[in-house]
Amino acid sequence: MKDASTTTGFLREAVARFVRKREWEQFHSPKNLSMSVSIEAAELMEIFQWMDVGEARSLSSKPEMRRRIEEEIADIAIYVLSLCNTLNIDLSSCITRKIDKNRKRYPVKKCKGKWL
Amino acid sequence: MKDASTTTGFLREAVARFVRKREWEQFHSPKNLSMSVSIEAAELMEIFQWMDVGEARSLSSKPEMRRRIEEEIADIAIYVLSLCNTLNIDLSSCITRKIDKNRKRYPVKKCKGKWL
Amino acid sequence: MKDASTTTGFLREAVARFVRKREWEQFHSPKNLSMSVSIEAAELMEIFQWMDVGEARSLSSKPEMRRRIEEEIADIAIYVLSLCNTLNIDLSSCITRKIDKNRKRYPVKKCKGKWL
Amino acid sequence: MKDASTTTGFLREAVARFVRKREWEQFHSPKNLSMSVSIEAAELMEIFQWMDVGEARSLSSKPEMRRRIEEEIADIAIYVLSLCNTLNIDLSSCITRKIDKNRKRYPVKKCKGKWL
């Protein structure tokens, strides 16, 4: 697993370099990038569109489907990272801060095993 | 910047612990999580919905707006990480592999300063 | 059922009047409206986010949920109608033309009872 | 303009017939259809993804782009109509009711020429 040793900063820089070389910073405005994230999220959903919730779980282990899922997840993540680059936002801090907030909002006692 | 030193694996584990404690793995099926990513992406878009592309760029630096953007980005990222946990997908590998693919698909010579 | 007697043109005009009175045509550009449709679609999805496919079917008949669904559907439709107004697109023609196309693309013999 | 004379009921029935003949009612659950609307909305957004707001306005008149927009709008509308069929929701009533509600929520005096 590369996730164990790869920093968010490293991934951000890889995305930044790709965008910079193509001079695409001009298109990567926050408005456009928010659309991009949403468009890629929809492509991920398309994979599961007609499946049952359980079916989606089991079919996701098939190699062909797995590859598609991995590509769509990457597309979403790449645009999220580019947005952080554009706005100079520290993603790791945002995530840990939001998890802290969610911990208070959804106390274990009240939420265990229940959605909503 | 915490991004310089925080690994994807660390963030994944923080999300996994949060989900596990609430016994929410049952709801975090790939189908549901793909919807969640899309829903959060829409909440990010909502911030920029009526702005001009340039306006979105300049308004994003305002503290109040910045905080909203950071929260929505975190929500998207958290669901992406949970999806990786559910499917045991290595996010860092997906991202670097996809950037490699995009490098071939969008050669600098052809794409510099142009979209599509 | 008002659907039996209400024309698309009537609904379009109701939306146009609402927008015109508020001088919102300036914001209702195709780009912004495509975001709006997507944002409202996400709010509709949010209702069903954690439900099973069958659960969503049965819960949809509950009055409180029904009202929420109706509101979100209306929001989507209103932005679709505004987009047609902005671009002077005849929605009824688009729909019947697309159904004709789908009829050829998804022949009954091949598609009966199967998705994809 | 066919919109002047085509009722929502007529369009609903055309969609219902298409779905019924393929025995697709089993897939057209509210949860799945909410995803479908969102997926099609994203395909519409994709057209405008990298354009400026003004650019989107002017480019939309080009025949090739117009055809694409019309197709995506039709796809969104078809799924909205199918959702109304599935849940037995009167779309025209929803729309007029929501416009009434919006009229109170966004009084002309307060909202003229301003978003938010």
Side-chain angles (χ1 to χ4, degrees), chain A residues 6-58:
Chain A
T6 311
T7 64
T8 313
F10 175 86
L11 296 170
R12 281 180 66 155
E13 186 44 38
V15 172
R17 210 177 312 119
F18 178 86
V19 172
R20 210 185 304 128
K21 279 201 174 164
R22 279 152 194 82
E23 298 181 359
W24 281 356
E25 295 97 335
Q26 56 187 309
F27 305 117
H28 282 214
S29 89
K31 179 167 174 131
N32 288 354
L33 287 173
S34 72
M35 292 174 82
S36 307
V37 174
S38 181
I39 291 166
E40 298 303 336
E43 292 185 10
L44 177 66
M45 277 203 298
E46 213 179 342
I47 302 177
F48 307 113
Q49 184 173 13
W50 303 116
M51 296 180 193
D52 211 310
V53 171
E55 211 173 1
R57 242 186 239 275
S58 59

Side-chain angles (χ1 to χ4, degrees), chain B residues 2-111:
Chain B
K2 282 178 64 181
D3 279 348
S5 59
T6 311
T7 64
T8 313
F10 174 86
L11 295 170
R12 282 180 65 154
E13 186 44 37
V15 172
R17 209 176 314 119
F18 178 87
V19 173
R20 210 186 303 127
K21 278 201 175 163
R22 280 151 192 80
E23 298 181 359
W24 281 356
E25 296 97 334
Q26 55 187 310
F27 305 117
H28 283 215
S29 89
K31 177 164 176 135
N32 288 354
L33 288 173
S34 73
M35 292 173 82
S36 307
V37 174
S38 181
I39 291 166
E40 299 302 336
E43 293 185 8
L44 177 65
M45 278 203 297
E46 214 180 341
I47 302 176
F48 308 114
Q49 184 173 12
W50 303 115
M51 297 179 192
D52 212 309
V53 172
E55 211 174 1
R57 241 187 242 273
S58 58
L59 288 178
S60 296
S61 61
K62 294 205 172 177
E64 163 57 14
M65 182 154 298
R66 202 176 171 78
R67 245 189 318 268
R68 272 182 70 198
I69 296 171
E70 287 181 347
E71 283 226 7
E72 299 306 345
I73 288 182
D75 282 335
I76 297 167
I78 287 169
Y79 281 125
V80 167
L81 293 167
S82 191
L83 188 54
C84 291
N85 285 336
T86 295
L87 297 176
N88 204 24
I89 282 174
D90 188 68
L91 182 57
S92 307
S93 310
C94 293
I95 293 174
T96 48
R97 223 182 303 131
K98 193 65 206 286
I99 295 178
D100 279 346
K101 197 175 168 180
N102 284 345
R103 235 179 248 131
K104 278 154 210 156
R105 200 173 154 195
Y106 304 103
V108 174
K109 244 185 178 157
K110 217 183 118 197
C111 299

